[in-house]
Amino acid sequence: MLSKGFDQGRGLNLPATRWYRSLPAAGLHRPEALGPARYWLQVPGSFTRALKQQCQLDFQVDVCREGFGRPSREEANTLNLANRQLAWIREVRLVGDGRPWVLARTVIPLDCLQGRGRALRHLGNKPLGVFLFSSRQWQRGELETGITLQPDHGQPRLARRSLFYRHHHRLMVCEYLLPELYR
Ligand SMILES: C=C(O[C@@H]1C=C(C(=O)O)C=C[C@H]1O)C(=O)O
């Protein structure tokens, strides 16, 4: 059972994803990673900021689901969490000029939620990127490239993810590119 606050019904329904340390390695399996999508897969700094710059009218973060839940086994391994350990999970759509461009899933282990990290539970529609990149305490790790497995039409085919570190704390941000973003 998931704890109260995490609404299982309203999630992003993201396809299973295989993650690669290098973008060229991912490109061998899905060559479109090496085309125009490459810019978005590697854009440095805040993704929110880069996307806002492309929008003519407005940009917003649309929260689909947020609360305590269980990360997948693979996410737990990547974050060094015990299997079935709860974490704060946030799933959002990044919407620009009225259209969704990116789906993002963030897994925040409980130890990150203490002290100033309490704010992470109360972001609402404020982009997480603004919080992470406005604090010098959080450092981003290496970007990985994701290839989704058997995506349905309109589902994301490519993704990126990275860990963010603050002292011994770490959280994980995954960003799935909707095909319209780069086609
Ligand atoms: C990490 C960033 O934060 C973005 C905003 C998110 C949110 O508000 O949940 C999630 C993922 C990112 O696309 C960023 O801007 O780089």
Side-chain angles (χ1 to χ4, degrees):
M1 275 284 284
L2 296 173
S3 70
K4 198 172 162 205
F6 198 74
D7 176 356
Q8 286 194 74
R10 292 173 53 239
L12 289 176
N13 189 22
L14 297 166
T17 310
R18 183 166 297 144
W19 297 99
Y20 294 85
R21 292 259 166 86
S22 93
L23 185 126
L28 288 177
H29 298 273
R30 188 151 297 154
E32 73 193 78
L34 305 174
R38 190 181 190 127
Y39 167 75
W40 292 106
L41 291 170
Q42 296 201 308
V43 71
S46 167
F47 201 98
T48 311
R49 196 154 158 248
L51 199 53
K52 268 186 187 164
Q53 281 170 358
Q54 298 284 320
C55 296
Q56 312 286 322
L57 303 173
D58 58 36
F59 171 86
Q60 70 189 59
V61 174
D62 187 3
V63 180
C64 302
R65 171 165 78 164
E66 175 169 54
F68 291 107
R70 296 200 200 288
S72 71
R73 190 176 287 245
E74 198 272 336
E75 288 170 337
N77 286 344
T78 307
L79 283 162
N80 273 345
L81 290 180
N83 197 23
R84 303 190 58 71
Q85 167 80 57
L86 285 177
W88 185 258
I89 300 181
R90 173 173 161 91
E91 293 188 345
V92 305
R93 285 191 192 87
L94 306 186
V95 179
D97 298 339
R99 294 176 63 185
W101 301 106
V102 173
L103 311 178
R105 173 176 164 96
T106 302
V107 180
I108 306 175
L110 302 184
D111 59 81
C112 296
L113 299 171
Q114 288 157 9
R116 282 195 200 161
R118 271 200 301 267
L120 289 166
R121 277 179 58 191
H122 304 287
L123 289 171
N125 292 345
K126 278 185 247 130
L128 172 68
V130 172
F131 177 90
L132 293 175
F133 288 97
S134 65
S135 152
R136 256 188 267 140
Q137 295 197 333
W138 285 98
Q139 304 292 328
R140 162 173 260 157
E142 295 298 308
L143 274 175
E144 290 185 296
T145 304
I147 300 266
T148 60
L149 307 177
Q150 301 179 325
D152 287 337
H153 180 74
Q155 275 195 315
R157 297 170 54 78
L158 297 170
R160 54 183 247 160
R161 80 172 177 186
S162 53
L163 296 177
F164 285 81
Y165 298 89
R166 176 171 60 96
H167 309 303
H168 59 280
H169 306 292
R170 52 170 81 176
L171 59 81
M172 182 166 67
V173 178
C174 309
E175 289 144 337
Y176 286 81
L177 315 186
L178 289 169
E180 295 73 26
L181 181 67
Y182 55 90
R183 282 192 183 147

PDB file of all heavy atoms in Angstrom, residues 45-49 61 90 92 94 102 104 106 126-129 132-133 140 164 173 175, ligand 1:
ATOM      1  N   GLY A  45      22.595  23.265 -17.190  1.00  0.00           N
ATOM      2  CA  GLY A  45      21.833  24.125 -16.269  1.00  0.00           C
ATOM      3  C   GLY A  45      20.398  23.660 -16.173  1.00  0.00           C
ATOM      4  O   GLY A  45      20.078  22.503 -16.390  1.00  0.00           O
ATOM      5  N   SER A  46      19.537  24.620 -15.867  1.00  0.00           N
ATOM      6  CA  SER A  46      18.146  24.271 -15.584  1.00  0.00           C
ATOM      7  C   SER A  46      17.358  24.003 -16.871  1.00  0.00           C
ATOM      8  O   SER A  46      17.313  24.846 -17.787  1.00  0.00           O
ATOM      9  CB  SER A  46      17.488  25.412 -14.815  1.00  0.00           C
ATOM     10  OG  SER A  46      16.098  25.223 -14.796  1.00  0.00           O
ATOM     11  N   PHE A  47      16.719  22.869 -16.906  1.00  0.00           N
ATOM     12  CA  PHE A  47      15.866  22.523 -18.044  1.00  0.00           C
ATOM     13  C   PHE A  47      14.676  23.492 -18.112  1.00  0.00           C
ATOM     14  O   PHE A  47      14.269  23.944 -19.173  1.00  0.00           O
ATOM     15  CB  PHE A  47      15.358  21.093 -17.857  1.00  0.00           C
ATOM     16  CG  PHE A  47      14.916  20.450 -19.127  1.00  0.00           C
ATOM     17  CD1 PHE A  47      15.763  19.607 -19.816  1.00  0.00           C
ATOM     18  CD2 PHE A  47      13.659  20.675 -19.639  1.00  0.00           C
ATOM     19  CE1 PHE A  47      15.366  19.013 -20.998  1.00  0.00           C
ATOM     20  CE2 PHE A  47      13.251  20.082 -20.814  1.00  0.00           C
ATOM     21  CZ  PHE A  47      14.106  19.253 -21.498  1.00  0.00           C
ATOM     22  N   THR A  48      14.127  23.795 -16.937  1.00  0.00           N
ATOM     23  CA  THR A  48      12.995  24.730 -16.863  1.00  0.00           C
ATOM     24  C   THR A  48      13.366  26.042 -17.557  1.00  0.00           C
ATOM     25  O   THR A  48      12.598  26.593 -18.345  1.00  0.00           O
ATOM     26  CB  THR A  48      12.671  25.043 -15.387  1.00  0.00           C
ATOM     27  OG1 THR A  48      12.577  23.821 -14.670  1.00  0.00           O
ATOM     28  CG2 THR A  48      11.404  25.824 -15.238  1.00  0.00           C
ATOM     29  N   ARG A  49      14.578  26.522 -17.255  1.00  0.00           N
ATOM     30  CA  ARG A  49      15.010  27.803 -17.794  1.00  0.00           C
ATOM     31  C   ARG A  49      15.132  27.723 -19.318  1.00  0.00           C
ATOM     32  O   ARG A  49      14.679  28.616 -20.044  1.00  0.00           O
ATOM     33  CB  ARG A  49      16.353  28.161 -17.154  1.00  0.00           C
ATOM     34  CG  ARG A  49      16.699  29.570 -17.333  1.00  0.00           C
ATOM     35  CD  ARG A  49      17.618  30.076 -16.246  1.00  0.00           C
ATOM     36  NE  ARG A  49      18.287  31.233 -16.787  1.00  0.00           N
ATOM     37  CZ  ARG A  49      19.584  31.251 -17.054  1.00  0.00           C
ATOM     38  NH1 ARG A  49      20.331  30.208 -16.774  1.00  0.00           N
ATOM     39  NH2 ARG A  49      20.110  32.321 -17.578  1.00  0.00           N
ATOM     40  N   VAL A  61       4.267  24.791 -14.659  1.00  0.00           N
ATOM     41  CA  VAL A  61       4.470  23.432 -14.178  1.00  0.00           C
ATOM     42  C   VAL A  61       3.120  22.924 -13.704  1.00  0.00           C
ATOM     43  O   VAL A  61       2.479  23.527 -12.851  1.00  0.00           O
ATOM     44  CB  VAL A  61       5.487  23.413 -13.010  1.00  0.00           C
ATOM     45  CG1 VAL A  61       5.589  22.023 -12.411  1.00  0.00           C
ATOM     46  CG2 VAL A  61       6.845  23.885 -13.492  1.00  0.00           C
ATOM     47  N   ARG A  90       7.440  13.208  -7.159  1.00  0.00           N
ATOM     48  CA  ARG A  90       6.727  14.332  -7.798  1.00  0.00           C
ATOM     49  C   ARG A  90       6.706  14.077  -9.297  1.00  0.00           C
ATOM     50  O   ARG A  90       7.755  13.829  -9.899  1.00  0.00           O
ATOM     51  CB  ARG A  90       7.516  15.598  -7.444  1.00  0.00           C
ATOM     52  CG  ARG A  90       7.067  16.863  -8.124  1.00  0.00           C
ATOM     53  CD  ARG A  90       7.854  18.013  -7.503  1.00  0.00           C
ATOM     54  NE  ARG A  90       7.833  19.191  -8.345  1.00  0.00           N
ATOM     55  CZ  ARG A  90       6.931  20.162  -8.264  1.00  0.00           C
ATOM     56  NH1 ARG A  90       5.969  20.096  -7.366  1.00  0.00           N
ATOM     57  NH2 ARG A  90       7.004  21.225  -9.056  1.00  0.00           N
ATOM     58  N   VAL A  92       5.315  15.779 -12.877  1.00  0.00           N
ATOM     59  CA  VAL A  92       4.772  17.029 -13.439  1.00  0.00           C
ATOM     60  C   VAL A  92       4.844  17.012 -14.962  1.00  0.00           C
ATOM     61  O   VAL A  92       5.598  16.248 -15.544  1.00  0.00           O
ATOM     62  CB  VAL A  92       5.563  18.268 -12.932  1.00  0.00           C
ATOM     63  CG1 VAL A  92       5.615  18.327 -11.417  1.00  0.00           C
ATOM     64  CG2 VAL A  92       6.972  18.323 -13.514  1.00  0.00           C
ATOM     65  N   LEU A  94       5.713  19.819 -17.948  1.00  0.00           N
ATOM     66  CA  LEU A  94       6.194  21.175 -18.202  1.00  0.00           C
ATOM     67  C   LEU A  94       5.451  21.658 -19.444  1.00  0.00           C
ATOM     68  O   LEU A  94       5.575  21.073 -20.526  1.00  0.00           O
ATOM     69  CB  LEU A  94       7.714  21.191 -18.413  1.00  0.00           C
ATOM     70  CG  LEU A  94       8.557  20.548 -17.297  1.00  0.00           C
ATOM     71  CD1 LEU A  94      10.049  20.753 -17.562  1.00  0.00           C
ATOM     72  CD2 LEU A  94       8.196  21.083 -15.924  1.00  0.00           C
ATOM     73  N   VAL A 102       7.394  18.347 -21.879  1.00  0.00           N
ATOM     74  CA  VAL A 102       8.260  17.462 -21.102  1.00  0.00           C
ATOM     75  C   VAL A 102       7.456  16.889 -19.936  1.00  0.00           C
ATOM     76  O   VAL A 102       6.617  17.589 -19.345  1.00  0.00           O
ATOM     77  CB  VAL A 102       9.480  18.262 -20.555  1.00  0.00           C
ATOM     78  CG1 VAL A 102      10.309  17.419 -19.597  1.00  0.00           C
ATOM     79  CG2 VAL A 102      10.352  18.765 -21.700  1.00  0.00           C
ATOM     80  N   ALA A 104       8.134  15.108 -16.233  1.00  0.00           N
ATOM     81  CA  ALA A 104       9.263  14.952 -15.309  1.00  0.00           C
ATOM     82  C   ALA A 104       8.842  14.180 -14.065  1.00  0.00           C
ATOM     83  O   ALA A 104       7.740  14.376 -13.541  1.00  0.00           O
ATOM     84  CB  ALA A 104       9.811  16.322 -14.915  1.00  0.00           C
ATOM     85  N   THR A 106      10.456  13.088 -10.309  1.00  0.00           N
ATOM     86  CA  THR A 106      11.544  13.323  -9.358  1.00  0.00           C
ATOM     87  C   THR A 106      11.335  12.446  -8.138  1.00  0.00           C
ATOM     88  O   THR A 106      10.221  12.383  -7.602  1.00  0.00           O
ATOM     89  CB  THR A 106      11.576  14.812  -8.953  1.00  0.00           C
ATOM     90  OG1 THR A 106      11.734  15.592 -10.136  1.00  0.00           O
ATOM     91  CG2 THR A 106      12.716  15.114  -8.010  1.00  0.00           C
ATOM     92  N   LYS A 126       5.596  25.726  -8.425  1.00  0.00           N
ATOM     93  CA  LYS A 126       6.926  26.351  -8.629  1.00  0.00           C
ATOM     94  C   LYS A 126       7.879  25.293  -9.170  1.00  0.00           C
ATOM     95  O   LYS A 126       7.947  24.181  -8.649  1.00  0.00           O
ATOM     96  CB  LYS A 126       7.476  26.882  -7.301  1.00  0.00           C
ATOM     97  CG  LYS A 126       6.920  28.228  -6.942  1.00  0.00           C
ATOM     98  CD  LYS A 126       7.597  28.748  -5.704  1.00  0.00           C
ATOM     99  CE  LYS A 126       6.619  28.805  -4.564  1.00  0.00           C
ATOM    100  NZ  LYS A 126       6.953  28.246  -3.315  1.00  0.00           N
ATOM    101  N   PRO A 127       8.652  25.606 -10.212  1.00  0.00           N
ATOM    102  CA  PRO A 127       9.543  24.588 -10.771  1.00  0.00           C
ATOM    103  C   PRO A 127      10.622  24.176  -9.768  1.00  0.00           C
ATOM    104  O   PRO A 127      11.238  25.013  -9.116  1.00  0.00           O
ATOM    105  CB  PRO A 127      10.182  25.278 -11.975  1.00  0.00           C
ATOM    106  CG  PRO A 127       9.388  26.502 -12.236  1.00  0.00           C
ATOM    107  CD  PRO A 127       8.712  26.877 -10.951  1.00  0.00           C
ATOM    108  N   LEU A 128      10.833  22.888  -9.697  1.00  0.00           N
ATOM    109  CA  LEU A 128      11.895  22.348  -8.855  1.00  0.00           C
ATOM    110  C   LEU A 128      13.257  22.912  -9.262  1.00  0.00           C
ATOM    111  O   LEU A 128      14.133  23.144  -8.431  1.00  0.00           O
ATOM    112  CB  LEU A 128      11.895  20.827  -9.009  1.00  0.00           C
ATOM    113  CG  LEU A 128      13.025  20.060  -8.366  1.00  0.00           C
ATOM    114  CD1 LEU A 128      12.920  20.128  -6.860  1.00  0.00           C
ATOM    115  CD2 LEU A 128      12.991  18.613  -8.820  1.00  0.00           C
ATOM    116  N   GLY A 129      13.438  23.123 -10.574  1.00  0.00           N
ATOM    117  CA  GLY A 129      14.716  23.625 -11.077  1.00  0.00           C
ATOM    118  C   GLY A 129      15.091  24.947 -10.423  1.00  0.00           C
ATOM    119  O   GLY A 129      16.262  25.190 -10.126  1.00  0.00           O
ATOM    120  N   LEU A 132      16.532  24.060  -7.055  1.00  0.00           N
ATOM    121  CA  LEU A 132      17.832  23.376  -7.088  1.00  0.00           C
ATOM    122  C   LEU A 132      18.945  24.288  -7.587  1.00  0.00           C
ATOM    123  O   LEU A 132      20.059  24.258  -7.078  1.00  0.00           O
ATOM    124  CB  LEU A 132      17.758  22.138  -7.991  1.00  0.00           C
ATOM    125  CG  LEU A 132      16.873  21.001  -7.497  1.00  0.00           C
ATOM    126  CD1 LEU A 132      16.797  19.883  -8.539  1.00  0.00           C
ATOM    127  CD2 LEU A 132      17.394  20.438  -6.171  1.00  0.00           C
ATOM    128  N   PHE A 133      18.644  25.104  -8.607  1.00  0.00           N
ATOM    129  CA  PHE A 133      19.700  25.914  -9.203  1.00  0.00           C
ATOM    130  C   PHE A 133      19.887  27.259  -8.502  1.00  0.00           C
ATOM    131  O   PHE A 133      20.840  27.970  -8.787  1.00  0.00           O
ATOM    132  CB  PHE A 133      19.447  26.103 -10.707  1.00  0.00           C
ATOM    133  CG  PHE A 133      19.696  24.850 -11.486  1.00  0.00           C
ATOM    134  CD1 PHE A 133      18.654  24.013 -11.836  1.00  0.00           C
ATOM    135  CD2 PHE A 133      20.986  24.477 -11.842  1.00  0.00           C
ATOM    136  CE1 PHE A 133      18.879  22.834 -12.539  1.00  0.00           C
ATOM    137  CE2 PHE A 133      21.226  23.289 -12.540  1.00  0.00           C
ATOM    138  CZ  PHE A 133      20.172  22.470 -12.888  1.00  0.00           C
ATOM    139  N   ARG A 140      24.712  19.111  -9.475  1.00  0.00           N
ATOM    140  CA  ARG A 140      24.187  18.071 -10.366  1.00  0.00           C
ATOM    141  C   ARG A 140      25.290  17.056 -10.711  1.00  0.00           C
ATOM    142  O   ARG A 140      26.428  17.430 -10.967  1.00  0.00           O
ATOM    143  CB  ARG A 140      23.673  18.730 -11.645  1.00  0.00           C
ATOM    144  CG  ARG A 140      23.521  17.777 -12.782  1.00  0.00           C
ATOM    145  CD  ARG A 140      22.848  18.406 -13.986  1.00  0.00           C
ATOM    146  NE  ARG A 140      21.460  18.014 -14.003  1.00  0.00           N
ATOM    147  CZ  ARG A 140      20.507  18.683 -14.611  1.00  0.00           C
ATOM    148  NH1 ARG A 140      20.765  19.793 -15.238  1.00  0.00           N
ATOM    149  NH2 ARG A 140      19.277  18.244 -14.588  1.00  0.00           N
ATOM    150  N   PHE A 164      21.077  14.851  -8.119  1.00  0.00           N
ATOM    151  CA  PHE A 164      21.537  16.101  -7.530  1.00  0.00           C
ATOM    152  C   PHE A 164      22.026  15.778  -6.117  1.00  0.00           C
ATOM    153  O   PHE A 164      21.355  15.020  -5.403  1.00  0.00           O
ATOM    154  CB  PHE A 164      20.404  17.137  -7.458  1.00  0.00           C
ATOM    155  CG  PHE A 164      20.079  17.761  -8.787  1.00  0.00           C
ATOM    156  CD1 PHE A 164      19.274  17.106  -9.708  1.00  0.00           C
ATOM    157  CD2 PHE A 164      20.568  19.016  -9.114  1.00  0.00           C
ATOM    158  CE1 PHE A 164      18.975  17.675 -10.938  1.00  0.00           C
ATOM    159  CE2 PHE A 164      20.275  19.601 -10.331  1.00  0.00           C
ATOM    160  CZ  PHE A 164      19.476  18.931 -11.251  1.00  0.00           C
ATOM    161  N   VAL A 173      16.253  13.390 -10.684  1.00  0.00           N
ATOM    162  CA  VAL A 173      15.307  14.063 -11.584  1.00  0.00           C
ATOM    163  C   VAL A 173      15.356  13.376 -12.959  1.00  0.00           C
ATOM    164  O   VAL A 173      16.430  13.266 -13.553  1.00  0.00           O
ATOM    165  CB  VAL A 173      15.674  15.554 -11.756  1.00  0.00           C
ATOM    166  CG1 VAL A 173      14.723  16.229 -12.731  1.00  0.00           C
ATOM    167  CG2 VAL A 173      15.666  16.283 -10.423  1.00  0.00           C
ATOM    168  N   GLU A 175      13.660  13.518 -16.831  1.00  0.00           N
ATOM    169  CA  GLU A 175      12.879  14.374 -17.737  1.00  0.00           C
ATOM    170  C   GLU A 175      12.656  13.628 -19.043  1.00  0.00           C
ATOM    171  O   GLU A 175      13.616  13.228 -19.701  1.00  0.00           O
ATOM    172  CB  GLU A 175      13.636  15.687 -18.000  1.00  0.00           C
ATOM    173  CG  GLU A 175      13.650  16.594 -16.778  1.00  0.00           C
ATOM    174  CD  GLU A 175      14.938  17.383 -16.601  1.00  0.00           C
ATOM    175  OE1 GLU A 175      15.992  16.968 -17.117  1.00  0.00           O
ATOM    176  OE2 GLU A 175      14.878  18.413 -15.902  1.00  0.00           O
TER     177      GLU A 175
HETATM  178  C1  LIG B   1      15.596  19.968 -12.414  1.00  0.00           C
HETATM  179  C2  LIG B   1      14.835  20.828 -13.014  1.00  0.00           C
HETATM  180  O1  LIG B   1      13.556  20.931 -12.663  1.00  0.00           O
HETATM  181  C3  LIG B   1      12.517  20.808 -13.600  1.00  0.00           C
HETATM  182  C4  LIG B   1      11.231  21.005 -12.883  1.00  0.00           C
HETATM  183  C5  LIG B   1      10.600  19.958 -12.316  1.00  0.00           C
HETATM  184  C6  LIG B   1       9.485  20.080 -11.327  1.00  0.00           C
HETATM  185  O2  LIG B   1       9.035  21.180 -11.036  1.00  0.00           O
HETATM  186  O3  LIG B   1       9.091  19.051 -10.789  1.00  0.00           O
HETATM  187  C7  LIG B   1      11.018  18.712 -12.629  1.00  0.00           C
HETATM  188  C8  LIG B   1      12.025  18.471 -13.497  1.00  0.00           C
HETATM  189  C9  LIG B   1      12.664  19.505 -14.251  1.00  0.00           C
HETATM  190  O4  LIG B   1      12.301  19.458 -15.560  1.00  0.00           O
HETATM  191  C10 LIG B   1      15.356  21.732 -14.030  1.00  0.00           C
HETATM  192  O5  LIG B   1      14.722  22.736 -14.333  1.00  0.00           O
HETATM  193  O6  LIG B   1      16.465  21.439 -14.546  1.00  0.00           O
END
